[in-house]
Amino acid sequence: MLTLESLLDKHRRYEKEPDLDLIRHAYAFAEVAHLGKKRLNGEEEITHLLEVAGCLVDYHTDSVTLAAALLHDILEESEVDHEMLEKEFGEEITSLVDGLTVVRTASGRLEAGKSKNWENLRHLILASIHDPRVLVVRLADKIHNLRTSSVLTAEERGVSAQKVFDIWAPLAEILGLYRFKSEMEDLAFEILHPQDFKKIKSVVRLESEKIAQVVDSVSEKLSAELDRQNIPAEITSRTKHLFGVYRKMPRYESHAGGKMFDVLGLRVVTDKVENCYRTLDLARKFWKEVPEFFDDYVAHPKPNGYQSIHAVFEVDGQMIEIQIRTKEMHEMAEYGLAAHSVYKEKGDRHIAAAERIRLVESLLAWGKGQELDLFPDQVFVFTPKGDVKVLPKGATPVDFAFDVHTQIGRECAGARANGKAVSLDYPLKTGEVVEIITAKGRRPSSDWLRFAKTGHARSEIEKVVRG
């Protein structure tokens, strides 16, 4: 079982200037705040909080993020309020814990919605966060909840597992958190399709045993040649996660003659881009490449910033994948945004944005001390039933009303946002629940054209106003 001291020991190994006192303080504060509270599986709440932090320490997150993980349930599950938390830990940690509450509220509202436009739902969660570390902690929380979900009913486990594929795994991919994504998918796969899971697990084990000797020989030969050429490199073997294999089964059958070419493979980590291509050239001289499986994500990175060369070779009747990347690319691929240097900034907060932010394409606007705004031109709001509506920035209750239904727009007489009465020209904010008050016989006013934003709303207003 993970202990506080083992967590701190792991943190020391990668963090140059760890704030161990902060983490100890967060742990002690959470332990007192949650004293006597147990989870459904019988474990103490503090054990869950420590395990969530344990997930994050494996991602090399900073001390502040680990402290926030230990405190992530405190505003909702204890008597501690926002003012007390900020007085004890300051603005940054309180802001992260606040953000987690916002994300949990948003995802909770999604459950009530009948509409299942998952892309909109994922966008709403992203639009609700001001700092990507909020989502990193939420994903770690989700991981541990899945690991301990056996105490739930079959239906509850199924619903929770399905959300992995609909919401959480795609969000993990956006942030480059592939290890989180892989573990979540495997846990959810086992819950939703237990027989397929067992079958794939057995197939992967047998296939790995069959090609392990070939992989070892490729590693030895490539390593010797890299040494001879004075190319610094670390070569390790890697095993594909089970759901990834399951998802690729049709491709194995149709393009690889049933051979699982990437179930067990090699990863080469070198010092610079030039040596990535020199390593690829050496492999091509030794073994026959299968060109249809070649991907150069170094020259053409994935949208989330992932970079690596993927090449497949025929060796002794087996197909072996070799991934080649630099150390920096490897850290981004392994730890994603969670371990990005932007969190480790000490001293000058005004360092050029280009230096601080080598992030996912969609996160380029974010920096330390600057709130994250992934969708500057859109707002994501809820109907009272929990469905998500996507509107342009500055959209008003009138725009929302017409988006729900033309007749509701025409008879719009008032509005509430999060239960509070607002004017019809009120600019809606992401995450708000919007309720429209209608009155029979009500007609749009020409004044509405002054603030209506959507083309649909303006068109309908003009139809009525101009007769």
Side-chain angles (χ1 to χ4, degrees), residues 212-269:
Q213 190 173 348
V214 178
V215 169
D216 288 344
S217 69
V218 169
S219 177
E220 289 172 11
K221 187 169 186 177
L222 188 57
S223 179
E225 187 61 23
L226 288 170
D227 284 344
R228 198 178 71 81
Q229 299 274 355
N230 292 317
I231 299 174
E234 180 182 349
I235 303 178
T236 56
S237 61
R238 46 154 294 279
T239 304
K240 195 172 185 67
H241 75 290
L242 299 179
F243 182 73
V245 174
Y246 176 73
R247 185 171 46 203
K248 265 193 173 180
M249 289 301 287
R251 190 181 183 196
Y252 295 142
E253 294 296 335
S254 61
H255 292 86
K259 293 181 179 179
M260 299 180 180
F261 58 85
D262 58 353
V263 166
L264 182 65
L266 292 175
R267 181 172 291 140
V268 182
V269 179

Side-chain angles (χ1 to χ4, degrees), residues 72-117:
H72 78 266
D73 277 341
I74 208 158
L75 293 180
E76 294 176 279
E77 306 291 341
S78 79
E79 299 301 315
V80 175
D81 60 20
H82 184 280
E83 186 179 345
M84 291 169 62
L85 187 64
E86 185 165 357
K87 183 179 179 181
E88 199 72 27
F89 292 97
E91 184 181 351
E92 185 175 14
I93 287 178
T94 303
S95 179
L96 290 175
V97 177
D98 260 344
L100 285 157
T101 302
V102 169
V103 169
R104 189 176 286 111
T105 301
S107 57
R109 284 174 179 162
L110 304 183
E111 296 176 16
K114 293 179 181 178
S115 168
K116 290 298 178 282
N117 186 328

Side-chain angles (χ1 to χ4, degrees), residues 420-439:
K420 295 182 180 180
V422 294
S423 61
L424 292 183
D425 63 354
Y426 168 77
L428 298 173
K429 299 181 181 67
T430 288
E432 289 182 322
V433 178
V434 184
E435 180 185 356
I436 299 299
I437 301 164
T438 59

